């Protein structure tokens, strides 16, 4: 039996279009920004996808595409990071 203190994880999908890319991964504060922990898969239309089970909260993330960090072009909310660039923000209810 679950207690009210247990967090309920939700499956959260991440995707972006980059048909020219050879490799892509998802990195963020949920993975200590390690771009090797969540590789993404490209479909036939060139859309890269990954899904994670995340607890409710606010997460910062980026895509790691062919060796470079890239913001999510479909994300409406971004915040500044300590490196002078932006991180995408995903809120999980």
């Amino acid at each position: 039996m679950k207690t009210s203190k247990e967090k309920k994880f939700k499956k959260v999908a991440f995707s972006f279009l980059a048909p020219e890319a050879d490799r892509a991964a998802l990195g963020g504060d949920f993975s200590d920004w390690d771009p090797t922990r969540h590789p993404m898969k490209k479909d036939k239309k060139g859309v890269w996808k990954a899904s994670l089970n995340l607890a409710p909260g606010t997460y910062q993330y980026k895509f790691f595409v062919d060796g470079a960090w890239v913001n999510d072009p479909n994300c409406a909310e971004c915040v500044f990071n300590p490196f002078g660039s932006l991180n995408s923000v995903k809120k999980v209810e």
Side-chain angles (χ1 to χ4, degrees), residues 28-82:
D29 50 14
F30 44 77
S31 65
D32 294 324
W33 294 95
D34 181 350
T36 65
R37 286 183 50 191
H38 301 292
M40 301 179 82
K41 292 185 180 180
K42 182 166 62 169
D43 69 13
K44 292 179 181 179
K45 295 180 180 178
V47 177
W48 291 87
K49 299 178 181 181
S51 293
L52 301 178
N53 289 319
L54 297 174
T58 301
Y59 299 92
Q60 294 182 32
Y61 70 98
K62 282 188 167 190
F63 299 121
F64 194 68
V65 182
D66 292 338
W69 289 104
V70 178
N71 282 86
D72 183 347
N74 301 312
C75 183
E77 186 177 351
C78 293
V79 295
F80 282 101
N81 64 34

